[in-house]
Amino acid sequence: MSRRPTLHEVANLAGASLASTSRALNGMGASPEMIEKVRAAAEQLGYHPDAAGRSLRMGRTFQVGFAVADIGNPVYVDMMKAIHEVVGPQGYHVVVATTGNDVESTADVIRSLASGVVDGLVISPLRSDETLAAQMEQAPVPVVVVGRVPQNTTLDSVWADSAAGIGMAVDQLVGVGRRRLLFLNGPLGTTPASHRLQGFEDALARHDLTAAGMVVADDFTVEAGTRAVDGLLDDPAAEGPDAIVAANDLLAIGCIQALRRRNVRVPDDIAVTGMDDTEIAAVFSPSLTSVALGSRERGRAAAELLLRRIAGESGPAQRVHVAPRLVVRESSGGPA
């Protein structure tokens, strides 16, 4: 049987002390140059640290959790990649979990991951209340929330003003002459649906317009968007909008698919906007006007906050704001 290379051999090849080699492999307390040199030596020798032994020695799992409602949503995929880019070089792996759409299942995920599975947790709950916020505060590991949290909590958070982003989309549609705007929302009672509806209503009031209506999808997915708009088009009493503002890109794409099947032209007959500026928005046809909420920026900021808390940094709760940005494309009928 072949013998496994040892830490001493890695240290000798790297020309470093045993302690420096150990710190470099753990991604902690070593310079970038030392980390690169030690990891190159480890790769050359085929050395792999004993993860279980390292966890026992250091009292850490070297795993961070990322918990979201739908791991298939491209927004969360972008966040996950950004989190990995931050924590990976520090020796951490990312454990991904699905929270579901209700508070109880989200609380179950927090209890499960925080009981020795991870050293810290980034979570983006679809629904929240005071009980869930208290549970996140009292978790035995640091928790960073992607989304808004009550001002009186000690939770770190990273958030984007989606209400202001919806306002940007409305402003652009009104600017190109649309007046009968309808809002395609996700499930009511969720945090995104509430904030984005408020942004839509505020923007219409600013322009002295009345909404052409609201259609509520049962999820934030393409299929749910198609079903919701099909229901609207099947209603002969419904007044036809000249623009539809969707609460996210997936709903917007489902909306366009439903319109296409009825030979409704986008944007000639009805303009459509989305939110999140996912990769598919740029390649879809027509390309989708969307509000960028900085998915990668939010993931990166959350991971950096989490690592500082894991390392023992104290202090007041941090609130990191990522500004929304409107990306105008073909679907809203405006100049790109």
Side-chain angles (χ1 to χ4, degrees), residues 35-158:
I35 291 173
E36 182 179 356
K37 184 165 60 173
V38 167
R39 289 185 176 174
E43 183 177 354
Q44 182 178 334
L45 292 171
Y47 174 82
H48 300 285
D50 179 356
R54 181 179 66 161
S55 296
L56 286 172
R57 287 193 305 273
M58 303 189 70
R60 294 184 183 177
T61 67
F62 287 93
Q63 297 187 138
V64 297
F66 179 50
V68 295
D70 178 8
I71 59 175
N73 188 312
V75 172
Y76 298 136
V77 173
D78 281 346
M79 282 187 192
M80 179 180 63
K81 290 178 180 177
I83 291 169
H84 172 72
E85 288 169 2
V86 172
V87 305
Q90 303 304 316
Y92 284 87
H93 297 286
V94 181
V95 176
V96 181
T98 302
T99 62
N101 293 338
D102 59 84
V103 172
E104 291 76 16
S105 61
T106 302
D108 287 342
V109 168
I110 294 170
R111 282 191 292 268
S112 175
L113 291 179
S115 59
V117 177
V118 298
D119 296 327
L121 176 63
V122 175
I123 186 169
S124 183
L126 199 58
R127 301 177 191 268
S128 188
D129 58 19
E130 292 183 0
T131 301
L132 183 63
Q135 181 171 352
M136 290 189 287
E137 280 187 294
Q138 296 160 12
V141 299
V143 175
V144 177
V145 177
V146 178
R148 296 195 188 219
V149 297
Q151 286 298 318
N152 60 347
T153 71
T154 59
L155 289 166
D156 294 324
S157 64
V158 180

